[in-house]
Amino acid sequence: MGKPTGFMDYERQTSAAADPKERIKHFHEFHTPLSVEEQQRQGARCMDCGVPFCQAGMMIEGMASGCPLHNLIPEWNDLVYSGNWGQAYHRLKKTNNFPEFTSRVCPALCEAACTCGHYGDAVTTKENEHGIIERAYEKGYAKARPPKVRTGKRVAVVGSGPAGLAAADQLNKRGHYVTVFERDDRIGGLLMYGIPNMKLEKSVIDRKIAVMKEEGVEFVTNANVGRDIKAVKLLKEYDRVILACGAKNPRDINAPGRDAKGIYFAVDYLSSVTKSLLDSDLKDKKFASPKGKHVVIIGGGDTGNDCVGTSIRLGAASVTQLEMMPKAPDERAYDNPWPEWPKVCKTDYGQEEAIALFGHDPRVYQTTVKEFLKDKNGNLNGIVTVKLENKKDEKTGRVAPTEVAGSEKKLPADLVLIAAGFLGSEKYTADAFGVALNQRTNVKTREGKYQTSAERVFACGDMRRGQSLVVWAIREGREVATEVDYSLMGYTYMTVQ
């Protein structure tokens, strides 16, 4: 695919990022897209490789290798190279409902498995995807296409994150009547409030929702199903219900002083900042301001990095990010060969900004909080950290982080954000529908299936599989839609690939 010698003729080029010291002055996206000519050259770099691992989406050593959506990557890279943008869009949309989201927030599992990246630089698949979808909106390819025939069947989708939206999009295209219920005041779930604007402008979400509305999907906001709206009401009014409420039950840090004022869960904090930004351009100040404060973020990953970037934009005096795990190697280790997901150290946009502003990487590895310190009024004013080392338990044989004696250290901290991951879904919606949960409090379904223990109720996304990536949520939404369609009609011609 692409130009046969393209990977040798052209070097990898990606969209230019604004200078860190400039982009921290605002909350907008900060990459300048490639020119059309350069984007087509990047499409030319896609090799005519025998096995395109980029679209495999298979699990190797417990990690995904390639795109879980099985995007037809070599096909649309070739179409980008030849300038056939309209056809490239249609091939992309065949497997991905929301390339406008994934081309911004996906960690590009496709590129990590790219054959071209085995000995050189991977093809800019994520950039090419972004170019395709943005040109599609510009040229009108992405306009609304309502279904011509309706089945008369009604489906309720609870939750408007990527899984719920993908399920709704698929079922609506099939001809079913679909209503999406969202407990927040805006559609999008964690896409809207959990991911900062500089990674995903909310106008991008609104643009897609407008298309879905025009195609016939109904959206209801401020609708907290399981509390304000009874489960029995949905089961009475709809033929099927899909639960796609996410996994928003945060993991806490149980250490002395946890009750100090100034400690927040990261996802709640990010949500409050984004809501304030959208409601009032931050003027209502309905968030805990980090301005002039020493901020400590507990946890790595995307959420921790987003907290770093957000705190810097809001004027933090310092930012420290604690990670329990050791620093990953800068290059692939011998026991982590391609096409496995590369377990290497990634310096994301927030860390880049901290380095530019404060002169050092904010991450402190193999460290956790041993105690939260507070003043006489109960306000947080510091933390005690302790170093960790992995030790093998002689009884169980398990290796686990263990405190290093005498490694305690006191750090200033006026604001702490806990980004330690999630323990599963919030139970109240599942309880309202009487569906069984597994040990992680995720909704239990049969292996590879989406039907819950309750009749006519299905589940998908993080609520079923646990905290994961947007691309996995979209796949789950597509697959549950196929299963729901079959249960409604007795047959299905919907495909997920």
Side-chain angles (χ1 to χ4, degrees), residues 132-184:
I132 292 169
I133 187 60
E134 291 306 309
R135 181 160 285 264
Y137 277 103
E138 179 186 332
K139 297 296 183 180
Y141 309 142
K143 65 182 180 182
R145 291 179 172 81
K148 294 180 180 180
V149 178
R150 289 289 182 181
T151 65
K153 304 294 185 180
R154 292 167 55 82
V155 180
V157 178
V158 184
S160 69
L165 290 178
D169 193 39
Q170 290 289 97
L171 290 166
N172 179 68
K173 283 179 165 55
R174 173 67 172 89
H176 305 309
Y177 291 104
V178 182
T179 302
V180 178
F181 294 87
E182 170 55 53
R183 69 180 177 182
D184 286 328

